[in-house]
């Protein structure tokens, strides 16, 4: 069974449906990019898959005994969060909170998980630094490390490179690609079609009243890709 199976799923907010009758599956090891125009429900769908929102209609089935502690989520960062007064280590370790149950302190396994995540993303030297003193790229690495600590099977990312310069953007995309190659299922909302077709194994393109879902190769030869390219130009951004 797939990790997630969406059956005629409709999502929306404030009582308004924005993406309707979606049918697709996310299998273990997939790298799915969710793309499309503004206002078509990409972030809302991601929150619904994370169970932060309920679908307006349809069903989302989960498989492989997927639990909340198996899922990591990196939302879009707000201006308030950028000024959060905590150390890098404290923020990364907080990704383990769902695994702690009623325990008041982190155990050795969780501490090692946070340490490994920081080393993997090259921020272990910043462990004692205050988060709000970091650059935008460093902050995104910290939040990604936190999400990795939460994610055992699936990592959800909502436009993780927004506001970053091209060099840092490429570094983060490479880090995410390596996580996927090492077995983590990745589901990422992106406004960057070029990145989607470069890194993803599958693409979900949501447009008003319609959608495309398939492999990246299928997407490249689809009407959805052609029309979106014609509308937005070679470098497709929302």
């Amino acid at each position: 069974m797939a990790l997630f199976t969406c059956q005629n799923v409709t999502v929306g907010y404030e009582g308004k449906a924005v993406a309707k009758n979606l049918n697709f599956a996310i299998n273990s090891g997939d790298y799915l990019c969710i793309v499309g125009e503004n206002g078509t429900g990409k972030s809302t769908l991601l929150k619904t898959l994370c169970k932060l929102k309920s679908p307006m209609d349809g069903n989302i089935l989960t498989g492989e005994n997927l639990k909340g502690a198996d899922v990591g989520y990196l939302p879009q960062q707000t201006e308030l969060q950028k000024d959060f007064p905590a150390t890098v280590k404290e923020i990364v370790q907080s990704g383990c909170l769902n695994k702690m149950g009623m325990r008041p302190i982190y155990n050795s396994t969780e501490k090692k998980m946070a340490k490994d995540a920081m080393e993997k993303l090259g921020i272990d030297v910043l462990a004692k630094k205050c988060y709000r003193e970091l650059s935008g790229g460093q902050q995104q690495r910290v939040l990604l490390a936190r999400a990795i600590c939460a994610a055992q099977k699936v990592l959800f990312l909502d436009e993780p490179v927004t506001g970053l310069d091209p060099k840092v953007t490429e570094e983060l995309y490479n880090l995410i690609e390596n996580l996927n190659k090492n077995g983590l299922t990745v589901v990422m909302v992106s406004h960057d079609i070029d990145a989607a077709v470069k890194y993803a194994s599958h693409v979900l393109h949501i447009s008003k009243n319609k959608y495309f879902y398939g492999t990246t190769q299928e997407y490249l030869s689809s009407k959805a890709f052609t029309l979106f390219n014609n509308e937005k130009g070679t470098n497709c951004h929302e």
Side-chain angles (χ1 to χ4, degrees):
M1 186 178 182
L3 286 174
F4 296 90
T5 303
C6 291
Q7 300 176 333
N8 298 314
V9 169
T10 294
V11 300
Y13 49 87
E14 297 179 355
K16 178 184 177 182
V18 288
K20 303 175 182 178
N21 301 318
L22 301 174
N23 289 278
F24 65 94
I26 303 170
N27 294 304
S28 180
D30 282 355
Y31 188 153
L32 172 67
C33 268
I34 304 174
V35 300
E37 297 84 351
N38 279 329
T40 53
K42 302 184 299 298
S43 294
T44 302
L45 174 60
L46 200 70
K47 291 175 183 176
T48 305
L49 289 168
C50 291
K51 297 187 176 181
L52 298 175
K53 293 178 65 70
S54 298
M56 297 182 71
D57 198 8
N59 298 299
I60 299 177
L61 308 178
T62 56
E64 297 191 15
N65 297 313
L66 195 69
K67 305 177 182 66
D70 294 326
V71 176
Y73 173 50
L74 177 56
Q76 294 183 42
Q77 189 176 196
T78 66
E79 287 301 317
L80 181 62
Q81 289 169 328
K82 291 179 181 179
D83 199 38
F84 196 67
T87 68
V88 167
K89 181 180 178 181
E90 288 169 340
I91 290 176
V92 175
Q93 285 184 336
S94 70
C96 298
L97 288 174
N98 280 345
K99 301 174 175 63
M100 294 174 64
M102 299 300 291
R103 281 187 289 108
I105 59 175
Y106 301 107
N107 62 26
S108 58
T109 299
E110 291 151 357
K111 289 177 181 179
K112 184 178 186 304
M113 189 178 296
K115 182 175 181 292
D116 289 346
M118 288 188 289
E119 289 177 351
K120 186 178 294 184
L121 296 184
I123 55 172
D124 49 311
V125 295
L126 303 174
K128 296 181 180 180
K129 291 274 291 185
C130 184
Y131 176 77
R132 61 186 176 189
E133 296 174 358
L134 305 180
S135 68
Q138 289 172 330
Q139 287 187 342
Q140 281 298 85
R141 284 175 179 257
V142 173
L143 296 178
L144 183 55
R146 181 188 185 279
I148 291 170
C149 285
Q152 296 298 296
K153 295 182 179 180
V154 188
L155 180 61
F156 290 104
L157 306 164
D158 194 352
E159 300 193 11
V161 300
T162 298
L164 302 181
D165 65 53
K167 181 177 183 296
V168 176
T169 292
E170 187 70 18
E171 289 174 354
L172 277 175
Y173 277 143
N174 288 333
L175 288 168
I176 294 166
E177 182 184 34
N178 287 333
L179 291 172
N180 177 247
K181 286 181 176 179
N182 286 322
L184 196 62
T185 302
V186 173
V187 182
M188 180 173 69
V189 169
S190 178
H191 64 270
D192 188 346
I193 295 290
D194 293 337
V197 299
K198 180 178 180 180
Y199 296 104
S201 63
H202 294 75
V203 175
L204 173 64
H205 185 139
I206 306 176
S207 300
K208 292 179 180 178
N209 302 316
K210 57 186 177 180
Y211 73 95
F212 168 91
Y213 171 76
T215 66
T216 301
Q217 288 304 312
E218 291 169 340
Y219 178 60
L220 287 171
S221 59
S222 72
K223 186 177 180 180
F225 177 71
T226 301
L227 288 175
F228 198 58
N229 258 338
N230 288 340
E231 291 174 4
K232 299 297 182 180
T234 304
N235 294 316
C236 300
H237 299 284
E238 291 183 343

